[in-house]
């Protein structure tokens, strides 16, 4: 159905960004920070309302026709390439825009409180709005190229916001690292895009419009590129893009560093929305990925490895935000497990629930950091539940959700993934096993965090660890430093809403085994076909096979007692993780050093130092590229330019030697060059003695004479 | 005006040069004003041209054709098509901007502005000329003012840079001259008319085409500059005054790729197909990657931008060589986009050089806190140079690479890797100059001033508008390029077929 308002979902925040970005300093001076906040928040509200409207409109359509299109204008029509500026909403993008505008709106609100003292308040909100516009372009773009515009756009905003406090060198480095690592992914993405376009063009059907790709994807069957099946090549390249944006092995390294940005940014960009873009992209192109079982296998493997490795790193972190960062990487890994086993809607569902509880966790950590005047080390926290009851309870609820405790949201989504990892035709028991262990580790380190931050006695203030300017600043002004205070309502309200989501949204997709009807999955079914639905488009061998197997699985799923067993196991494992954390950090029955000192502390140190991956990358890739560039620059200067200068010198010497000899030895061209050298040299000397004008007149007059001699 | 508009655009700056020469030497404002005055009408005419240009045809438009030296069948023959009109627009705009950007020149300013206007006239002439001899005359005339502008108003090593530039270009000119004469005498009856020469391209033997192609190509490659003929560029840029760097990178480099499109492609199609298939595409790829890597190692801000130009001009060669509509449209769009983006970059380097009197990247730090507006403008230009979507260069680079994939997937992957390298050196430069703690030496440095912003605004607007909506340029160029592509492909086949018939 053609509609005309989808563009405003993007334009509204873009206009907000433009106003605050171009006029922000003046507005802030003249009308104060509240005016800036209003300019930023109203557009997001507009987008949210329009997104709701789109959702309502989709609901009113029959399931197979849930599709809204807003064609704005022609964009690039060159050769066979036809890309328009057009935006569309289908059940999948509807979920995404609701998440982005809804949670994004809450985070905007929260930021008003959190960034309250920031002098560049306007700049922050301009970036935040720009991010919203870019993210919504990514989601709504109807072609891969428009999607890519948003894809890189969110990268830019991420760069700007990670480096928001750019005066710290480390922040600037983190920002550059994020952008560069993402660019490696983007490189993969464009390669995949090109291969896809020309693969279709081979059959005279080249396109980058997602709907058309969906109809024509079967044309890629049987095509080869360098001996690789084209769908496999394309999806692998696109997946490289996803590993960059969604922080998977091997490109996850930027995300933990990205915590250098203000905490609301971590919640919005580096937890709830941008980092899920890779998952969304795979969901968007699920029909292509279904054609490439090899790629799916790689995705599932990368996903489970990332989930596991990131979780182990999370165990040893002390920075409250770093723990959450690694848990985000880990949870994204879970989403990729789902995508990799072909359970696309399970992956999107986890994306959806994760957006709530992880945004809540980040904002909660921001509330703590705010209360403690920029203290981020959990060793200097403790006992905060007494001082910050709202922050504590919302954080606690979200932690239960991420730990996969029933009936919180994370339980439903994570369990669905683990079950699919086990039962899907693309799944494998070892993926389930590692996933379940990871779920246990997750429960452990998340509760370790809760216990270190909110339980026990407050270890800050008198501890003398404060190297933080804000802390002492507070003390001077006689604030209650030893009594951290609850954050203001503008910050706690979003926490409460998100925590409510963390409790409730899981019920949207209760599996049949628990008496539900998979409502979320049914909603997405027209878009995410392979799991259970018959393909809408021309079926081919593979899809048929997958579909067949999937149907069988579904049959199983309804009745298989195994599903209950696995569910119980995963809850027990998670409970074990929580128990261990409780024994270690609340009861003190087990000293953490029991683990950290094991095997001479080598495993602990390795984990604590994040497996030295940053150091390895630095040594290999960064220094490798720099070394190569220095080498080539030297080659350019010494060899290439050396030859040029050598030829020039030689020519000059020869031409100076003897005119007659010259004639027989050097050919005519070189002769000319030599003569010119002499001529130029003489003139250049003349120039230096102040005869510019005579030559100038000569040139101009000469030229004029040449030009007009014959015409006049 | 309609028929003579191009002639006016070429010769008004020349008149301006003469007028400036007649002004008293010390009347600084009068000289500046006069010089500016003579670049405004061409700019207005450029807008008029843009509005009245027929986008549906690939024919030459606004043509003037008068016999000039009849005994050699040389004509004063000018006109524009989709390829050249973008360059004419760019030249008119950058000439105006650069005159404004030159207001700070104090040394022998009368001569400076006169030479600049002469340069302006010659550049216009090159892009409008449709007679090879006329083209060559303009091409040579351009050389002299450029030589003096670098050699007199340049930095410490200006003489070396100027002579290097001059000699390099002269070598190219000589080869071009030889190839031009060969074409002239090969054609029967002898002619320098480029359209005439192109229409007879079917009759040239493949061997002749190849030799002539290489001769012309080296002449043009030096201007682009293609590896290994590029080493004049960093020196010339580093020594040249700001406005001259802008002209050099913004307009002069395009003459290389323009020349190939205007002369090599239609006149020597068979050889073009031969060489595009390996020489041009390989050089394009090499330029892109090599330029980016060399840029990364530079510590001089201006040299870094110079090497980035080498890299970005690689995209133009790459796109041209793909022989796809996507690639070749991307190439010409990239010529225009690089002209605006790199002009911004050089103007921005000039801003900081005027204040700090050096360009050592590592010698700054934290300028964002000291000069926020300047930093904002730089960020725009940097991200445009990185090919960020929403800014103009993205579209041209994507088109170029997309076009490349059909025939050269492997080389396209190599070229596309430059998106990482470019971001690498740009962001690293950004960080070292603008981010981090403010360098105390430069606290209190004045932010970018009104005149400097004035020179950047039109370019910034173009960069953003074309990024969102590239049709204003794509519509201009498309018809001519589709035609050119067909001509090259079609005629080359005819030529090959004829050659094939003769061989057995």
């Amino acid at each position: 159905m053609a509609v005309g308002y989808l563009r405003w979902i993007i334009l509204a925040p873009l206009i907000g960004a433009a106003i605050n970005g171009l006029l922000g300093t003046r507005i802030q001076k003249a009308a104060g920070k509240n005016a800036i906040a209003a300019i930023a928040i109203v557009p997001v509200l507009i987008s949210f309302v329009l997104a709701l409207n789109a959702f309502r409109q989709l609901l009113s359509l029959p399931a197979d026709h849930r599709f809204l299109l807003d064609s704005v204008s022609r964009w690039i029509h060159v050769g066979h390439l036809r890309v328009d500026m057009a935006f569309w909403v289908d059940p999948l993008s509807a979920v995404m825009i609701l998440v982005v505008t809804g949670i994004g709106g809450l985070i905007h609100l929260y930021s008003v409180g959190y960034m309250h003292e920031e002098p560049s308040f306007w700049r922050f909100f301009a970036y935040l709005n720009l991010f919203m516009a870019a993210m919504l372009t990514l989601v709504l773009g109807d072609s891969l190229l428009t999607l890519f515009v948003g894809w890189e756009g969110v990268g830019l905003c991420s760069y700007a916001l990670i480096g928001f406090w750019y005066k710290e060198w480390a922040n600037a480095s983190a920002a550059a690292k994020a952008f560069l690592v993402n660019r490696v992914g983007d490189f993969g993405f464009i390669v995949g895009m090109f291969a896809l376009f020309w693969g279709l063009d081979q059959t005279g059907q080249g396109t980058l419009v997602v709907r058309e790709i969906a109809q024509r994807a079967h044309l890629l069957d049987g095509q080869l590129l360098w001996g690789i099946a084209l769908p496999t090549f394309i999806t692998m390249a696109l997946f490289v893009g996803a590993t960059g944006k969604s922080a998977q092995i091997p490109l996850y390294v930027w995300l933990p560093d990205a915590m250098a940005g203000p905490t609301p940014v971590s919640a919005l960009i580096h937890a709830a929305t941008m980092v899920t873009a890779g998952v969304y992209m795979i969901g968007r192109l699920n029909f292509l990925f279904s054609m490439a079982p090899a790629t799916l296998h790689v995705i599932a493997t990368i996903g489970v490895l990332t989930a596991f490795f990131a979780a182990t790193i999370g165990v040893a972190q002390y920075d409250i935000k770093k723990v959450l960062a690694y848990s985000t990487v880990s949870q994204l890994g879970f989403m990729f497990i789902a995508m990799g086993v072909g359970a696309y809607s399970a992956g999107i569902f986890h994306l959806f629930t994760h957006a709530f509880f992880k945004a809540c966790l980040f904002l909660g950590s921001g509330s703590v950091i705010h209360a403690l005047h920029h203290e981020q080390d959990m060793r200097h926290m403790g006992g905060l539940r007494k001082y910050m009851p709202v922050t504590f309870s919302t954080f606690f609820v979200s932690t239960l959700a991420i730990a996969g405790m029933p009936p919180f949201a994370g339980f439903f989504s994570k369990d669905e993934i683990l079950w699919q990892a086990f039962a899907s035709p693309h799944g494998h028991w070892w993926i389930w096993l590692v996933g379940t262990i990871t779920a246990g580790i997750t429960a452990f380190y998340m509760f370790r965090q809760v216990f270190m931050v909110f339980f026990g006695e407050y270890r800050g203030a008198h501890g003398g660890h404060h190297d933080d300017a804000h802390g002492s600043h507070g003390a001077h002004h006689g604030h209650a430093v030893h009594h951290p205070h609850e954050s203001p309502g503008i910050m706690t309200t979003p926490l409460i809403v998100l925590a409510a989501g963390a409790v409730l949204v899981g019920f949207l997709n209760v599996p049949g085994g628990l008496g539900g009807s998979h409502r979320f999955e049914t909603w997405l079914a027209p878009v995410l076909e392979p799991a259970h639905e018959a393909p809408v488009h021309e079926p081919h061998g593979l899809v048929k096979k997958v579909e067949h197997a999937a149907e069988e699985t579904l049959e199983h799923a309804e009745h298989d007692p195994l599903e209950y067993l696995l569910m119980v196991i995963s809850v027990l494992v998670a409970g074990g993780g929580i128990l261990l954390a409780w024994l270690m950090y609340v009861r003190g029955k087990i000293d953490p050093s029991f683990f950290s000192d094991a095997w001479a502390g080598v495993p602990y140190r390795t984990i604590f130092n994040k497996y030295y991956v940053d150091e390895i990358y630095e040594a290999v890739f960064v220094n490798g590229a720099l070394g190569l560039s220095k080498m080539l620059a030297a080659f350019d200067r010494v060899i290439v330019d050396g030859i040029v200068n050598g030829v020039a010198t030689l020519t000059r010497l020869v031409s100076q030697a003897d005119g007659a000899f010259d004639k027989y030895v050097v050919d005519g061209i070189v002769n000319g060059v030599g003569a010119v050298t002499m001529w130029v040299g003489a003139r250049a000397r003349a120039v230096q003695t102040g005869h510019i004008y005579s030559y100038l007149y000569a040139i101009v007059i000469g030229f004029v004479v040449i030009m007009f001699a014959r015409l006049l | 005006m309609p028929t003579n508009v191009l002639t006016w655009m070429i010769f008004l700056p020349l008149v301006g040069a003469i007028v400036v020469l007649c002004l008293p030497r010390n009347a600084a404002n009068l000289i500046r004003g006069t010089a500016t005055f003579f670049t405004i009408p061409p700019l207005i005419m450029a807008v008029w041209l843009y509005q009245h240009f027929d986008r549906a045809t690939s024919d030459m438009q606004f043509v003037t054709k008068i016999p000039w030296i009849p005994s050699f069948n040389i004509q004063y023959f000018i006109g524009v098509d989709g390829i050249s009109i973008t360059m004419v627009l760019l030249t008119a705009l950058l000439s105006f901007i650069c005159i404004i950007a030159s207001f700070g020149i104090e040394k022998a300013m009368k001569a400076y502005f006169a030479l600049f206007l002469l340069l302006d006239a010659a550049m216009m002439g090159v892009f409008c000329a449709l007679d090879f001899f006329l083209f060559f005359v303009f091409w040579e005339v351009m050389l002299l003012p450029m030589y003096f502008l670098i050699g007199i108003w340049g930095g410490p090593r200006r003489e070396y840079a100027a002579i290097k530039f001059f000699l390099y270009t002269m070598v190219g000119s000589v080869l071009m001259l030889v190839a031009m004469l060969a074409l002239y005498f090969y054609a029967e009856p002898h002619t320098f008319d480029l359209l005439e020469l192109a229409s007879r391209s079917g009759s040239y033997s493949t061997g002749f085409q190849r030799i002539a192609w290489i001769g012309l190509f080296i002449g043009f490659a030096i201007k682009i500059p293609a590896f290994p003929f590029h080493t004049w560029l960093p020196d010339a840029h580093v020594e040249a005054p700001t406005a001259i760097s802008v002209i050099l990178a913004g307009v002069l480099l395009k003459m290389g790729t323009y020349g190939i499109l205007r002369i090599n492609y239609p006149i020597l199609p068979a050889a073009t197909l031969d060489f595009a298939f390996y020489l041009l595409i390989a050089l394009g790829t090499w330029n892109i990657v090599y330029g980016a890597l060399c840029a990364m190692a530079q510590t001089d801000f201006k040299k870094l931008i110079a090497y980035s130009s080498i890299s970005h001009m690689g995209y133009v060669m790459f796109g041209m060589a793909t022989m796809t509509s996507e690639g070749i449209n991307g190439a010409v769009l990239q010529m225009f986009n690089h002209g605006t983006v790199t002009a911004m970059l050089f103007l921005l380097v000039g801003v900081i050089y005027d204040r700090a009197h050096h360009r050592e990247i590592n010698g700054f730090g934290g300028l964002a806190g000291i000069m926020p507006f300047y930093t904002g403008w730089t960020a725009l230009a940097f991200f445009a140079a990185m090919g960020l979507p929403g800014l103009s260069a993205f579209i041209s680079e994507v088109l170029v690479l997309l076009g490349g994939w059909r025939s050269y997937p492997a080389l396209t992957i190599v070229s596309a890797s430059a998106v990482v390298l470019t971001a690498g050196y740009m962001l690293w430069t950004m960080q070292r100059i603008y981010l981090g703690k403010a360098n105390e030496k430069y606290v209190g440095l004045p932010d970018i001033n009104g005149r400097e912003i004035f020179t950047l605004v039109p370019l910034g607007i173009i960069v953003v508008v074309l990024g969102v909506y590239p049709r204003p340029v794509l519509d201009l160029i498309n018809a001519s390029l589709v035609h050119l592509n067909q001509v090259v492909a079609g005629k080359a086949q005819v030529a090959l077929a004829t050659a094939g018939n003769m061989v057995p």
Side-chain angles (χ1 to χ4, degrees), chain A residues 75 80 166 173 198 636 641 645 696 710, chain B residues 68 160 164 230 290 307 326 402 468:
Chain A
W75 189 34
H80 298 172
Y166 60 84
S173 298
W198 287 111
D636 200 63
D641 209 29
N645 285 334
L696 194 56
R710 307 300 296 216
Chain B
W68 180 24
Y160 169 75
K164 195 170 180 181
H230 65 279
Y290 183 82
Y307 275 103
E326 290 85 358
L402 182 70
V468 178

mmCIF file of all heavy atoms in Angstrom, chain A residues 75 80 166 173 198 636 641 645 696 710, chain B residues 68 160 164 230 290 307 326 402 468:
data_model
loop_
_atom_site.group_PDB
_atom_site.id
_atom_site.type_symbol
_atom_site.label_atom_id
_atom_site.label_comp_id
_atom_site.label_asym_id
_atom_site.label_seq_id
_atom_site.Cartn_x
_atom_site.Cartn_y
_atom_site.Cartn_z
ATOM 1 N N TRP A 75 16.350 8.301 -7.295
ATOM 2 C CA TRP A 75 17.613 8.647 -6.637
ATOM 3 C C TRP A 75 18.771 8.416 -7.596
ATOM 4 O O TRP A 75 19.301 9.344 -8.178
ATOM 5 C CB TRP A 75 17.760 7.849 -5.336
ATOM 6 C CG TRP A 75 18.905 8.293 -4.492
ATOM 7 C CD1 TRP A 75 19.369 9.567 -4.371
ATOM 8 C CD2 TRP A 75 19.720 7.493 -3.654
ATOM 9 N NE1 TRP A 75 20.433 9.595 -3.498
ATOM 10 C CE2 TRP A 75 20.662 8.336 -3.049
ATOM 11 C CE3 TRP A 75 19.754 6.120 -3.346
ATOM 12 C CZ2 TRP A 75 21.634 7.867 -2.153
ATOM 13 C CZ3 TRP A 75 20.703 5.662 -2.448
ATOM 14 C CH2 TRP A 75 21.638 6.538 -1.862
ATOM 15 N N HIS A 80 22.031 -0.128 -15.486
ATOM 16 C CA HIS A 80 20.991 -1.049 -15.050
ATOM 17 C C HIS A 80 20.555 -0.783 -13.620
ATOM 18 O O HIS A 80 19.646 -1.409 -13.113
ATOM 19 C CB HIS A 80 21.481 -2.496 -15.161
ATOM 20 C CG HIS A 80 21.821 -2.893 -16.564
ATOM 21 N ND1 HIS A 80 22.419 -4.064 -16.892
ATOM 22 C CD2 HIS A 80 21.643 -2.234 -17.729
ATOM 23 C CE1 HIS A 80 22.596 -4.137 -18.198
ATOM 24 N NE2 HIS A 80 22.142 -3.027 -18.717
ATOM 25 N N TYR A 166 35.799 14.593 23.351
ATOM 26 C CA TYR A 166 36.948 14.360 22.494
ATOM 27 C C TYR A 166 38.263 14.852 23.091
ATOM 28 O O TYR A 166 39.323 14.581 22.577
ATOM 29 C CB TYR A 166 36.719 15.031 21.145
ATOM 30 C CG TYR A 166 36.523 16.527 21.254
ATOM 31 C CD1 TYR A 166 37.607 17.374 21.321
ATOM 32 C CD2 TYR A 166 35.237 17.076 21.316
ATOM 33 C CE1 TYR A 166 37.426 18.740 21.444
ATOM 34 C CE2 TYR A 166 35.057 18.431 21.444
ATOM 35 C CZ TYR A 166 36.152 19.263 21.517
ATOM 36 O OH TYR A 166 35.972 20.615 21.649
ATOM 37 N N SER A 173 40.432 7.944 20.416
ATOM 38 C CA SER A 173 40.953 6.693 19.852
ATOM 39 C C SER A 173 39.855 5.647 19.759
ATOM 40 O O SER A 173 39.746 4.929 18.762
ATOM 41 C CB SER A 173 42.083 6.138 20.717
ATOM 42 O OG SER A 173 43.143 7.038 20.755
ATOM 43 N N TRP A 198 25.279 -7.902 -9.593
ATOM 44 C CA TRP A 198 25.715 -8.437 -10.893
ATOM 45 C C TRP A 198 25.292 -9.879 -11.086
ATOM 46 O O TRP A 198 25.076 -10.317 -12.213
ATOM 47 C CB TRP A 198 27.222 -8.269 -11.073
ATOM 48 C CG TRP A 198 27.550 -6.842 -11.324
ATOM 49 C CD1 TRP A 198 28.218 -6.004 -10.481
ATOM 50 C CD2 TRP A 198 27.204 -6.048 -12.469
ATOM 51 N NE1 TRP A 198 28.303 -4.741 -11.030
ATOM 52 C CE2 TRP A 198 27.691 -4.741 -12.241
ATOM 53 C CE3 TRP A 198 26.514 -6.308 -13.663
ATOM 54 C CZ2 TRP A 198 27.527 -3.703 -13.159
ATOM 55 C CZ3 TRP A 198 26.356 -5.273 -14.570
ATOM 56 C CH2 TRP A 198 26.855 -3.986 -14.313
ATOM 57 N N ASP A 636 57.974 5.630 -2.757
ATOM 58 C CA ASP A 636 57.535 6.736 -3.601
ATOM 59 C C ASP A 636 58.575 7.846 -3.631
ATOM 60 O O ASP A 636 58.893 8.399 -4.671
ATOM 61 C CB ASP A 636 56.207 7.273 -3.055
ATOM 62 C CG ASP A 636 55.445 8.061 -4.097
ATOM 63 O OD1 ASP A 636 55.068 7.452 -5.108
ATOM 64 O OD2 ASP A 636 55.225 9.257 -3.895
ATOM 65 N N ASP A 641 60.326 8.929 -7.203
ATOM 66 C CA ASP A 641 60.759 10.307 -7.361
ATOM 67 C C ASP A 641 62.257 10.364 -7.634
ATOM 68 O O ASP A 641 62.729 11.255 -8.332
ATOM 69 C CB ASP A 641 60.401 11.104 -6.103
ATOM 70 C CG ASP A 641 60.168 12.559 -6.416
ATOM 71 O OD1 ASP A 641 59.743 12.858 -7.541
ATOM 72 O OD2 ASP A 641 60.449 13.390 -5.539
ATOM 73 N N ASN A 645 63.974 12.539 -10.500
ATOM 74 C CA ASN A 645 65.038 13.510 -10.271
ATOM 75 C C ASN A 645 66.330 13.090 -10.961
ATOM 76 O O ASN A 645 67.069 13.918 -11.477
ATOM 77 C CB ASN A 645 65.293 13.681 -8.771
ATOM 78 C CG ASN A 645 64.202 14.504 -8.119
ATOM 79 O OD1 ASN A 645 63.565 15.322 -8.781
ATOM 80 N ND2 ASN A 645 63.965 14.274 -6.847
ATOM 81 N N LEU A 696 55.290 38.563 -17.979
ATOM 82 C CA LEU A 696 53.845 38.470 -17.917
ATOM 83 C C LEU A 696 53.204 39.143 -19.129
ATOM 84 O O LEU A 696 52.354 38.579 -19.815
ATOM 85 C CB LEU A 696 53.384 39.144 -16.631
ATOM 86 C CG LEU A 696 51.971 38.880 -16.216
ATOM 87 C CD1 LEU A 696 51.745 37.381 -16.099
ATOM 88 C CD2 LEU A 696 51.723 39.537 -14.884
ATOM 89 N N ARG A 710 44.475 35.459 -36.565
ATOM 90 C CA ARG A 710 43.784 35.027 -37.759
ATOM 91 C C ARG A 710 42.333 35.452 -37.773
ATOM 92 O O ARG A 710 41.712 35.485 -38.824
ATOM 93 C CB ARG A 710 43.856 33.502 -37.890
ATOM 94 C CG ARG A 710 45.249 32.963 -37.824
ATOM 95 C CD ARG A 710 46.125 33.517 -38.926
ATOM 96 N NE ARG A 710 45.656 33.123 -40.248
ATOM 97 C CZ ARG A 710 46.475 32.841 -41.263
ATOM 98 N NH1 ARG A 710 47.789 32.917 -41.126
ATOM 99 N NH2 ARG A 710 45.970 32.495 -42.427
ATOM 100 N N TRP B 68 40.143 29.269 -38.413
ATOM 101 C CA TRP B 68 41.127 30.062 -37.678
ATOM 102 C C TRP B 68 42.409 30.135 -38.506
ATOM 103 O O TRP B 68 42.846 31.194 -38.903
ATOM 104 C CB TRP B 68 41.355 29.398 -36.309
ATOM 105 C CG TRP B 68 42.357 30.096 -35.436
ATOM 106 C CD1 TRP B 68 42.731 31.405 -35.487
ATOM 107 C CD2 TRP B 68 43.102 29.513 -34.369
ATOM 108 N NE1 TRP B 68 43.648 31.677 -34.504
ATOM 109 C CE2 TRP B 68 43.886 30.533 -33.805
ATOM 110 C CE3 TRP B 68 43.161 28.224 -33.815
ATOM 111 C CZ2 TRP B 68 44.757 30.300 -32.729
ATOM 112 C CZ3 TRP B 68 44.013 28.007 -32.746
ATOM 113 C CH2 TRP B 68 44.805 29.038 -32.194
ATOM 114 N N TYR B 160 61.932 24.436 -7.288
ATOM 115 C CA TYR B 160 62.044 23.021 -7.614
ATOM 116 C C TYR B 160 60.685 22.471 -8.048
ATOM 117 O O TYR B 160 60.556 21.816 -9.086
ATOM 118 C CB TYR B 160 62.564 22.261 -6.387
ATOM 119 C CG TYR B 160 62.480 20.767 -6.506
ATOM 120 C CD1 TYR B 160 63.386 20.065 -7.306
ATOM 121 C CD2 TYR B 160 61.497 20.040 -5.838
ATOM 122 C CE1 TYR B 160 63.311 18.695 -7.421
ATOM 123 C CE2 TYR B 160 61.405 18.671 -5.952
ATOM 124 C CZ TYR B 160 62.323 18.001 -6.749
ATOM 125 O OH TYR B 160 62.234 16.643 -6.865
ATOM 126 N N LYS B 164 59.671 21.180 -11.763
ATOM 127 C CA LYS B 164 59.266 19.780 -11.870
ATOM 128 C C LYS B 164 57.909 19.675 -12.552
ATOM 129 O O LYS B 164 57.717 18.883 -13.475
ATOM 130 C CB LYS B 164 59.212 19.191 -10.470
ATOM 131 C CG LYS B 164 59.169 17.681 -10.413
ATOM 132 C CD LYS B 164 59.363 17.260 -8.973
ATOM 133 C CE LYS B 164 59.337 15.752 -8.823
ATOM 134 N NZ LYS B 164 59.498 15.369 -7.423
ATOM 135 N N HIS B 230 53.275 10.553 -11.008
ATOM 136 C CA HIS B 230 52.538 11.388 -10.069
ATOM 137 C C HIS B 230 53.408 12.225 -9.153
ATOM 138 O O HIS B 230 52.877 13.038 -8.419
ATOM 139 C CB HIS B 230 51.677 10.486 -9.195
ATOM 140 C CG HIS B 230 52.502 9.585 -8.344
ATOM 141 N ND1 HIS B 230 53.047 8.429 -8.820
ATOM 142 C CD2 HIS B 230 52.911 9.696 -7.065
ATOM 143 C CE1 HIS B 230 53.751 7.852 -7.860
ATOM 144 N NE2 HIS B 230 53.690 8.594 -6.792
ATOM 145 N N TYR B 290 47.531 2.599 -3.660
ATOM 146 C CA TYR B 290 48.853 3.169 -3.427
ATOM 147 C C TYR B 290 48.742 4.597 -2.887
ATOM 148 O O TYR B 290 49.421 4.966 -1.934
ATOM 149 C CB TYR B 290 49.614 3.150 -4.749
ATOM 150 C CG TYR B 290 51.031 3.643 -4.706
ATOM 151 C CD1 TYR B 290 52.047 2.804 -4.293
ATOM 152 C CD2 TYR B 290 51.349 4.937 -5.104
ATOM 153 C CE1 TYR B 290 53.357 3.252 -4.272
ATOM 154 C CE2 TYR B 290 52.652 5.388 -5.089
ATOM 155 C CZ TYR B 290 53.649 4.544 -4.672
ATOM 156 O OH TYR B 290 54.945 4.992 -4.655
ATOM 157 N N TYR B 307 48.199 13.265 -1.699
ATOM 158 C CA TYR B 307 48.175 11.826 -1.976
ATOM 159 C C TYR B 307 46.743 11.295 -1.993
ATOM 160 O O TYR B 307 46.423 10.359 -2.717
ATOM 161 C CB TYR B 307 49.031 11.059 -0.969
ATOM 162 C CG TYR B 307 50.485 11.016 -1.367
ATOM 163 C CD1 TYR B 307 51.428 11.822 -0.756
ATOM 164 C CD2 TYR B 307 50.898 10.172 -2.387
ATOM 165 C CE1 TYR B 307 52.763 11.788 -1.138
ATOM 166 C CE2 TYR B 307 52.227 10.124 -2.779
ATOM 167 C CZ TYR B 307 53.162 10.939 -2.145
ATOM 168 O OH TYR B 307 54.453 10.898 -2.548
ATOM 169 N N GLU B 326 27.383 2.273 -15.427
ATOM 170 C CA GLU B 326 27.520 2.611 -14.018
ATOM 171 C C GLU B 326 28.900 3.192 -13.755
ATOM 172 O O GLU B 326 29.046 4.251 -13.141
ATOM 173 C CB GLU B 326 27.312 1.363 -13.145
ATOM 174 C CG GLU B 326 25.887 0.838 -13.118
ATOM 175 C CD GLU B 326 25.588 -0.087 -14.290
ATOM 176 O OE1 GLU B 326 26.481 -0.283 -15.140
ATOM 177 O OE2 GLU B 326 24.462 -0.602 -14.374
ATOM 178 N N LEU B 402 30.760 -0.418 -8.365
ATOM 179 C CA LEU B 402 29.690 -1.298 -8.851
ATOM 180 C C LEU B 402 29.934 -1.645 -10.317
ATOM 181 O O LEU B 402 29.823 -2.796 -10.732
ATOM 182 C CB LEU B 402 28.334 -0.615 -8.673
ATOM 183 C CG LEU B 402 27.107 -1.418 -9.085
ATOM 184 C CD1 LEU B 402 26.886 -2.562 -8.125
ATOM 185 C CD2 LEU B 402 25.876 -0.543 -9.134
ATOM 186 N N VAL B 468 22.702 13.723 -1.453
ATOM 187 C CA VAL B 468 21.329 13.286 -1.237
ATOM 188 C C VAL B 468 20.624 13.115 -2.577
ATOM 189 O O VAL B 468 19.824 12.203 -2.768
ATOM 190 C CB VAL B 468 20.584 14.324 -0.366
ATOM 191 C CG1 VAL B 468 19.138 13.909 -0.167
ATOM 192 C CG2 VAL B 468 21.275 14.467 0.979
#
